[in-house]
Amino acid sequence: MAHQAHSYHMVDPSPWPIFGAAAALLTTSGLIMWFHYSSTTLLTMGLLSMLLVMLQWWRDVIRESTFQGHHTPTVQKGLRYGMILFITSEAFFFLGFFWAFFHSSLAPTPELGGQWPPTGVKPLNPLEVPLLNTAILLASGVTVTWTHHSITEGNRKQAIHALTLTILLGFYFTALQAMEYHEASFSIADSVYGSTFFVATGFHGLHVIIGSSFLTVCLLRLIKFHFTPNHHFGFEAAAWYWHFVDIIWLFLYMSMYWWGS
Amino acid sequence: MGTWGAAQQHGKASAPVTHRAGGGGRTWRALSLLGALPAVALCMANVMLQQRHHRPARPTFVPYHHLRIRTKPFPWGDGTHTLFHNPRTNALPSGYEQ
């Protein structure tokens, strides 16, 4: 019987990478068909295949790790590097939108009335719902840390409670933001103010939804005994991502909601 | 797989490890339940109190050129309503709908 003489994971051949690439192609070309030719067929196919690839690829990672034991400390180290690099790339993604915001708001053009917020734009009061949203995300950062300590200490009941609380706070944030989007007196089409505000907060909201989904998967795995006090990297990755989402919100709040009002 | 057995019997964070100041499930549980969640509740109360004031009259419509930009129709509906359009607070380029 052959054994490997190293601690790395040589993954079995898998169709998900090429299918993921195909899903990306379908989605991007689908967006073009929707924007320019009013057809949603390709886009629907793209989003559906993207969802299926994600579910099956990550299901396979869980099988390889939790059930087949391929995630040695060496493999886990690689995953840690990977998640850190990914989050770093996301930070640069948001950096671009913050650059755009400061480019337009530090020197408002005459077309905007030479002021920021532009003439005719009534910004949201940063001390109402945005402040509540800040408290919600900060609180969820505390509860996710409580979750982590509970997992490390082998306290199953508290870990489940704490993670559930974290996810509920995330849902509450999303619901409040959706309501704010509907109630705002300005829209994305209202000068560069609307563009920068809704693109930056919109992508942030998408990341909150992604983070909440990641945490929900962790909750299901937690309930099904996938994690041990010493080995629970899936949860750690979700927690890192969640803290990142929180930090991006803090920058959004300070710059666009507070300084920009 | 999991080693929940021993800690499970106690029903609280009482794993027998040496106490680390500032760490531990008990500390973060306290911070969550006595700090973070009450802060959220306070902010909720603040919002509700502030929103008790009557809705301010919506601003008069002025057809500014830098607002309500429609370079290209939106790919949904009639192409002139934004995704989160609110008929009460959002005017179209031609004015309020209501």
Side-chain angles (χ1 to χ4, degrees):
Chain A
M1 198 157 36
H3 292 95
Q4 61 186 47
H6 59 81
S7 55
Y8 294 93
H9 180 201
M10 301 301 286
V11 184
D12 289 332
S14 163
W16 310 128
I18 190 97
F19 283 172
L25 176 61
L26 284 171
T27 307
T28 46
S29 51
L31 278 172
I32 293 170
M33 289 306 291
W34 183 40
F35 288 159
H36 296 279
Y37 300 102
S38 297
S39 164
T40 53
T41 316
L42 273 183
L43 182 59
T44 312
M45 284 166 59
L47 291 173
L48 185 62
S49 52
M50 202 165 86
L51 182 67
L52 287 170
V53 167
M54 289 194 292
L55 289 175
Q56 294 178 98
W57 193 337
W58 285 324
R59 174 211 63 195
D60 283 355
V61 174
I62 293 172
R63 285 176 174 174
E64 292 157 6
S65 56
T66 306
F67 301 125
Q68 295 177 356
H70 287 291
H71 284 199
T72 62
T74 312
V75 172
Q76 207 190 105
K77 197 161 180 221
L79 290 170
R80 284 176 191 275
Y81 279 130
M83 193 65 194
I84 287 168
L85 287 170
F86 173 64
I87 291 176
T88 307
S89 76
E90 295 254 77
F92 279 105
F93 178 71
F94 277 97
L95 194 68
F97 296 121
F98 278 103
W99 182 349
F101 168 73
F102 283 114
H103 174 95
S104 298
S105 60
L106 283 167
T109 62
E111 287 87 349
L112 304 175
Q115 62 181 43
W116 192 275
T119 313
V121 172
K122 188 166 159 287
L124 298 168
N125 184 349
L127 298 175
E128 285 190 29
V129 174
L131 183 63
L132 171 57
N133 273 342
T134 306
I136 288 168
L137 284 185
L138 287 173
S140 68
V142 174
T143 54
V144 84
T145 310
W146 174 22
T147 310
H148 194 186
H149 283 269
S150 301
I151 291 174
T152 329
E153 290 167 12
N155 194 325
R156 174 181 165 82
K157 189 171 75 122
Q158 281 198 17
I160 291 172
H161 288 171
L163 186 50
T164 304
L165 204 44
T166 308
I167 294 165
L168 288 175
L169 287 167
F171 285 168
Y172 188 25
F173 175 94
T174 304
L176 284 171
Q177 270 298 69
M179 189 214 70
E180 282 278 273
Y181 271 27
H182 181 69
E183 293 291 324
S185 64
F186 58 93
S187 76
I188 197 173
D190 286 326
S191 80
V192 71
Y193 181 91
S195 304
T196 50
F197 180 87
F198 283 105
V199 168
T201 60
F203 272 117
H204 173 262
L206 178 64
H207 284 69
V208 170
I209 291 167
I210 291 168
S212 302
S213 307
F214 197 171
L215 288 168
T216 304
V217 168
C218 286
L219 178 61
L220 295 171
R221 295 186 67 201
L222 178 63
I223 290 169
K224 289 159 81 72
F225 300 95
H226 286 202
F227 301 134
T228 76
N230 290 315
H231 191 161
H232 44 263
F233 177 67
F235 169 78
E236 287 183 70
W240 289 351
Y241 196 80
W242 193 251
H243 287 306
F244 163 73
V245 157
D246 186 9
I247 290 165
I248 293 292
W249 170 261
L250 293 176
F251 280 109
L252 281 174
Y253 182 73
M254 289 189 294
S255 55
M256 296 195 191
Y257 284 90
W258 198 348
W259 176 83
S261 69
Chain B
M1 181 56 52
T3 54
W4 301 106
Q8 196 55 349
Q9 292 159 20
H10 301 285
K12 55 184 194 268
S14 55
V17 292
T18 51
H19 175 70
R20 286 187 306 124
R26 283 181 66 188
T27 310
W28 286 98
R29 179 168 177 259
L31 284 170
S32 300
L33 300 178
L34 302 174
L37 290 187
V40 170
L42 279 171
C43 287
M44 281 168 76
N46 173 49
V47 169
M48 290 188 215
L49 288 171
Q50 289 207 41
Q51 287 189 345
R52 257 189 213 167
H53 301 142
H54 290 293
R55 280 174 171 173
R58 69 184 181 194
T60 342
F61 175 74
V62 178
Y64 289 118
H65 292 293
H66 64 289
L67 300 183
R68 297 164 278 267
I69 295 172
R70 297 288 189 273
T71 315
K72 186 178 192 294
F74 293 108
W76 55 75
D78 66 357
T80 186
H81 292 80
T82 60
L83 196 58
F84 290 85
H85 178 76
N86 183 337
R88 195 189 72 83
T89 60
N90 302 138
L92 295 182
S94 48
Y96 288 108
E97 286 174 305
Q98 299 174 344

